[in-house]
Amino acid sequence: MTLAWILAATVAGGVLSVIAAALIMFSARASWVPILISYAVGTLLGAVFLDVLPQAFERAASLESMALTILAGILLFFVLEKLVLWRHCHVEQCEAHDPPIAQHHDHGRSGTMIMIGDTFHNFVDGVLIAAAFLADRELGIVTAVAIIAHEIPQEVGDFLILLHSGFSKRRALLLNLLSSAAMVVGGVLGYFTLQGAERWVPPLLGFAAASMLYVSVADLIPGLHKRPELQATLQQVVLIALGVATIWLVGELAHDHV
């Protein structure tokens, strides 16, 4: 029965959050995507500093080891992005070789980075749900609800980044569903090998935080500077703050019910 509850919770946690985010994004106009990227930056930074990093440092063997993991993750995603750029330099127009032209997407670089990081994060969420259900069924249900609530605004941000990277809405939905399957894998693995799986939770959280930080700071924020006028800047600041506030508010509501 415990395994059945874990499976139900992880499937619901992955699928419901993606569907909720898809319903929001499918009703959005294409012209809104560049503007709402600021909101995506806010949800990423909010998720990193208000959710993922506190958990990572709390579970880490030492603060130094976690800081080193995050640093290694940032360098890893830098190299990975270089490899993505190198591939596109051989198969299509390359910004490194061709004259700069107006681009509405980034050849999928941000989307690739965020999907890798989100997969790590979903896997860890699955392990946490399994641990909660093994301790107590009610705690497991509450933990799953809290994770779903956290995931919805973050998935909206992921959709925005995928659309900004040039993916279609259908492909963005498919990629998010595939990434959410990692939650089920984490839940099942956590049920059978929780003692061994718990060792991997801190480094996986560190890599998830590194990916979100890298995408927001290295890929998305520089694009916002292309609109330096005062009105655009104020709009971006408000939307970034709104993204952070969304993550904070959902976290507060979830903690009130834990």
Side-chain angles (χ1 to χ4, degrees), residues 96-143:
H97 300 153
D98 299 319
I101 57 175
Q103 298 274 344
H104 295 288
H105 57 82
D106 59 7
H107 298 299
R109 299 200 312 272
S110 300
T112 302
M113 303 296 112
I114 204 61
M115 281 298 96
I116 293 172
D118 199 35
T119 301
F120 284 138
H121 193 194
N122 287 332
F123 177 84
V124 170
D125 283 344
V127 174
L128 296 178
I129 288 174
F133 271 107
L134 287 171
D136 179 75
R137 183 180 298 177
E138 183 178 348
L139 177 61
I141 294 172
V142 171
T143 301

Side-chain angles (χ1 to χ4, degrees), residues 37-47 239-245 247:
I37 285 299
S38 302
Y39 177 80
V41 170
T43 60
L44 284 178
L45 294 178
L239 286 170
I240 290 173
L242 183 60
V244 174
I247 297 293

Side-chain angles (χ1 to χ4, degrees), residues 43-102:
T43 60
L44 284 178
L45 294 178
V48 168
F49 289 103
L50 302 180
D51 181 29
V52 180
L53 280 182
Q55 287 191 55
F57 281 112
E58 182 181 349
R59 295 168 182 273
S62 70
L63 298 181
E64 291 78 6
S65 65
M66 179 50 60
L68 185 61
T69 299
I70 296 168
L71 177 60
I74 291 174
L75 293 175
L76 175 65
F77 285 105
F78 170 76
V79 173
L80 182 60
E81 185 171 29
K82 284 287 188 180
L83 292 175
V84 174
L85 275 173
W86 176 83
R87 173 179 174 272
H88 282 286
C89 279
H90 287 77
V91 299
E92 56 186 69
Q93 282 190 333
C94 177
E95 59 194 28
H97 300 153
D98 299 319
I101 57 175

